[in-house]
Amino acid sequence: MILFDRVSKIYASQTRPALDAVSLEIEKGEFIFLVGPSGSGKSTFLRLVLREERPTSGQVWVAGKELSKLSNWKIPGLRRQIGTVFQDFRLLPNKTVAENVAFALEVIGKPKSHIKRVVPEVLEVVGLEGKELRRPDELSGGEQQRVAIARAFVNRPMILIADEPTGNLDPGTSADIMKLLDRINQLGTTVVMSTHDSNIVDQMRRRVIELDGGHLVRDQSRGVYGYAQ
Amino acid sequence: MRATFVASEVSSGLRRNLTMTLAVIITVAVSLGLFGASLLVRAQVTTMKDFWYDKVEVSIFLCSKGSDTPSCSGEAVTQAQRDQIKSDLESLRPLVQEIFYESKADAFKRFQEQFKNSPIADNVTEGALPESFRVKLSDPTSYEVVASAFAGRPGIEQVNDQRQILDKFFRLLGGLQLIALLIALSMLVVTVLLIVNTMRVAAFSRRRETGIMRLVGASNFYIQLPFLLEAAFSAGVGALLAIVGLIITKAVVIDQILAPSFQFTSFVGWDAVFAIAPIMFVTGILLAGLAAFFTLRKYLRV
Ligand SMILES: Nc1ncnc2c1ncn2[C@@H]1O[C@H](COP(=O)(O)OP(=O)(O)OP(=O)(O)O)[C@@H](O)[C@H]1O
Ligand SMILES: [Mg+2]
């Protein structure tokens, strides 16, 4: 599903690589934790998958396509197969919950009838039924993140990318969000999630990929957050 | 493509940036108005040229007794010379379109007629004014052909071209029109810059939306379309205002004010207005397109 082949990324303003010859493969349906200290290259890794950045060298393959060979106009098609969730939710403050989710469908030109049908469905999946007409500032952080997840999942993407999705949430709420991501994973979506939250990683016992200074330092199935075991 | 969704995005974008929208509309209207006005002046100059060149003539003044021009040697023109000049003029057809002979008596009568309310008329006696051939050319620019053939010939005192006086006047008008056009063009550049800036501000204030659009896989076209339509809308409204201004200029300033006061010349007709209006509209839309081309590539990439 995702294949990195000796991928290095050096940002234009930087001399030290943000990612240094990283090779790894992620299979369809996997649940991946991406861990590592701040600045280790986790977000860079995720941006490369989205083709928000291009590798300086090496190849990134997503869903059978090598991204550097993907012409510009095909990038939207790639992104429609990938859902994204961020620490800061990225909701539109002047739209309701339902409108925020519908927005993602409107802008890719889905017909109204389709939107009317799938938005309530996905809001039920994420547990927001009854809150369709609230605005983001009328929701808790956890609820806002559920809206973001609903938006990311409404197209039933093959891959869900989550960059520190629980970074702004308290432990209890984080656990709920993790249950939701786990459920989405069980519905068949490959989930790649970066996190600093050791409790979550230790509890879930999924594959852990650790980066440090741009190097891949650990790739462990059913791993834990730190080395201390 | 969902038309209603795009339309609502565009209208909310325009309203959110109302002051900028107004600034763009006004600037487009003013710069295009100036542009249209300079084109109108140009059409006016052409109209006047057609009108006046059609009326101007080359005058060949013949010698009178006592003329001190060398070609006259103090003698009046003889009948033989007069006939020779006449037949030489005839041989220049079709460049020479019409030939009138004006005798001293005719010249005196015409002078009296022209200056009947002026004391000058009383000081001029019959015989003081020279006789002449008045020649109308099919191509007024070929004055030189006539001048070189007749100037300095025995019996001819002077060859005069009214066109040369008009040319000075038209060169002046042409210069003014060029200045107006240059001002208009620099205003158009300013307009493009303003639209670029407006789109930048709009792109910035909507970076949240566009960021999300990019992430969920909206196409470039879909992301950029609202910005394009907004710019096109403002430019279109501005262009329409400028065209209305042009029509008012024609209907009121030219037809009601100028034309009655300056009856000796003709003014541009509606055909010129109808020719200029589409140019203005297209220019307005092109301005927006040009601005969009610069901005969208830079600020709204995938
Ligand atoms: N757009 C950018 N331009 C230049 N350098 C960047 C850019 N984004 C990240 N970097 C640099 O690349 C390195 C890796 O950054 P990255 O954001 O991938 O780290 P991270 O693991 O996500 O960190 P955190 O856990 O704090 O989010 C850092 O040294 C960072 O300064
Ligand atoms: Mg990061």
Side-chain angles (χ1 to χ4, degrees):
Chain A
M1 179 85 349
I2 300 174
L3 177 75
F4 272 52
D5 185 10
R6 280 162 295 155
V7 173
S8 296
K9 172 70 190 178
I10 306 174
Y11 286 105
S13 55
Q14 239 79 343
T15 50
R16 198 181 64 83
L19 277 187
D20 197 357
V22 170
S23 297
L24 59 85
E25 186 168 2
I26 296 171
E27 301 286 346
K28 184 162 167 33
E30 276 195 279
F31 193 116
I32 309 281
F33 284 118
L34 202 54
V35 301
S38 189
S40 56
K42 304 183 293 296
S43 297
T44 302
F45 181 96
L46 298 177
R47 281 206 291 272
L48 284 166
V49 175
L50 282 169
R51 242 296 307 256
E52 282 210 74
E53 299 286 352
R54 292 156 177 268
T56 313
S57 66
Q59 295 185 331
V60 178
W61 292 74
V62 176
K65 297 205 178 67
E66 208 264 288
L67 298 193
S68 70
K69 292 212 184 69
L70 205 62
S71 51
N72 271 337
W73 63 271
K74 282 188 172 161
I75 296 171
L78 168 77
R79 294 191 181 144
R80 285 176 201 190
Q81 302 178 318
I82 306 176
T84 43
V85 177
F86 296 92
Q87 182 174 2
D88 59 359
F89 318 136
R90 305 207 183 165
L91 302 177
L92 295 172
N94 53 351
K95 289 195 191 296
T96 65
V97 167
E99 285 168 349
N100 262 286
V101 177
F103 183 76
L105 297 167
E106 281 163 343
V107 299
I108 59 174
K110 293 275 187 205
K112 222 174 198 133
S113 55
H114 173 80
I115 297 175
K116 273 217 176 87
R117 186 167 53 78
V118 297
V119 170
E121 273 173 26
V122 78
L123 285 177
E124 197 187 325
V125 170
V126 302
L128 282 175
E129 51 290 58
K131 300 192 170 142
E132 293 85 356
L133 298 181
R134 303 254 196 112
R135 285 175 201 280
D137 60 2
E138 299 162 348
L139 296 173
S140 72
E143 286 166 337
Q144 290 186 52
Q145 194 59 298
R146 284 170 192 271
V147 180
I149 292 171
R151 184 180 62 194
F153 187 62
V154 68
N155 267 326
R156 310 281 158 151
M158 301 189 304
I159 301 168
L160 185 82
I161 281 179
D163 198 352
E164 300 186 36
T166 60
N168 278 344
L169 306 175
D170 62 69
T173 314
S174 296
D176 291 342
I177 293 293
M178 289 317 298
K179 273 190 206 130
L180 179 54
L181 291 180
D182 192 34
R183 166 128 193 255
I184 283 173
N185 180 233
Q186 261 147 39
L187 289 170
T189 297
T190 310
V191 178
V192 186
M193 162 176 168
S194 81
T195 185
H196 287 289
D197 191 330
S198 55
N199 288 336
I200 288 175
V201 181
D202 293 347
Q203 262 167 28
M204 299 264 299
R205 284 299 184 127
R206 298 301 180 101
R207 181 174 166 194
V208 173
I209 292 169
E210 181 171 343
L211 295 171
D212 193 354
H215 299 281
L216 177 66
V217 294
R218 179 163 58 119
D219 185 347
Q220 189 178 22
S221 56
R222 303 187 60 78
V224 290
Y225 185 77
Y227 278 113
Q229 235 178 319
Chain B
M1 186 70 14
R2 297 258 319 277
T4 49
F5 175 71
V6 173
S8 80
E9 284 289 296
V10 169
S11 78
S12 82
L14 287 172
R15 272 180 284 119
R16 184 169 0 186
N17 244 328
L18 195 62
T19 49
M20 290 292 255
T21 305
L22 284 178
V24 169
I25 290 176
I26 292 169
T27 315
V28 168
V30 169
S31 61
L32 278 184
L34 212 55
F35 179 58
S38 73
L39 293 183
L40 198 66
V41 171
R42 200 173 124 106
Q44 173 64 26
V45 170
T46 310
T47 309
M48 283 168 76
K49 271 185 180 159
D50 288 349
F51 180 83
W52 282 102
Y53 283 173
D54 208 42
K55 301 205 164 21
V56 298
E57 41 195 26
V58 176
S59 309
I60 300 172
F61 292 104
L62 307 179
C63 295
S64 318
K65 203 164 176 54
S67 299
D68 45 13
T69 319
S71 56
C72 292
S73 46
E75 292 299 320
V77 61
T78 65
Q79 185 59 43
Q81 285 172 338
R82 199 180 285 129
D83 291 344
Q84 184 62 45
I85 292 165
K86 175 114 205 267
S87 71
D88 286 354
L89 277 173
E90 294 288 354
S91 75
L92 280 179
R93 285 185 197 275
L95 170 64
V96 167
Q97 222 171 21
E98 291 169 46
I99 305 167
F100 314 96
Y101 171 73
E102 192 180 64
S103 67
K104 281 172 176 291
D106 295 335
F108 181 71
K109 218 187 284 163
R110 193 164 60 88
F111 190 87
Q112 293 287 339
E113 185 62 33
Q114 267 176 3
F115 294 95
K116 60 175 175 262
N117 300 319
S118 158
I120 309 174
D122 304 331
N123 300 333
V124 173
T125 57
E126 187 164 353
L129 295 170
E131 59 189 292
S132 61
F133 284 105
R134 304 276 161 148
V135 179
K136 187 165 254 176
L137 302 181
S138 58
D139 172 18
T141 55
S142 304
Y143 155 77
E144 280 305 324
V145 177
V146 179
S148 63
F150 294 95
R153 264 173 63 158
I156 292 179
E157 185 174 3
Q158 207 184 1
V159 181
N160 237 347
D161 182 18
Q162 296 176 330
R163 190 170 177 272
Q164 286 181 322
I165 307 163
L166 279 179
D167 271 352
K168 269 189 206 143
F169 174 64
F170 284 133
R171 265 203 297 280
L172 181 74
L173 276 186
L176 289 178
Q177 187 255 335
L178 188 69
I179 292 171
L181 191 63
L182 287 179
I183 295 175
L185 288 181
S186 55
M187 279 292 292
L188 290 178
V189 172
V190 169
T191 307
V192 171
L193 295 181
L194 183 74
I195 298 177
V196 165
N197 213 37
T198 306
M199 291 181 89
R200 261 164 60 175
V201 170
F204 184 76
S205 70
R206 259 181 283 169
R207 64 195 184 286
R208 215 183 167 84
E209 273 97 332
T210 52
I212 292 169
M213 288 168 102
R214 274 169 0 104
L215 277 176
V216 301
S219 64
N220 248 349
F221 178 70
Y222 218 110
I223 295 175
Q224 299 180 350
L225 190 66
F227 294 90
L228 262 178
L229 290 180
E230 277 170 45
F233 175 84
S234 307
V237 171
L240 288 181
L241 286 179
I243 289 171
V244 168
L246 188 77
I247 290 173
I248 291 175
T249 306
K250 165 64 182 154
V252 177
V253 180
I254 293 180
D255 288 354
Q256 307 283 326
I257 301 173
L258 290 177
S261 336
F262 300 95
Q263 284 176 346
F264 57 83
T265 187
S266 66
F267 284 89
V268 278
W270 282 103
D271 53 335
V273 176
F274 292 137
I276 293 171
I279 297 177
M280 288 166 71
F281 194 79
V282 170
T283 307
I285 298 300
L286 282 182
L287 291 184
L290 193 68
F293 177 77
F294 284 130
T295 327
L296 296 179
R297 272 171 11 132
K298 207 167 158 196
Y299 293 91
L300 292 171
R301 269 183 321 199
V302 199

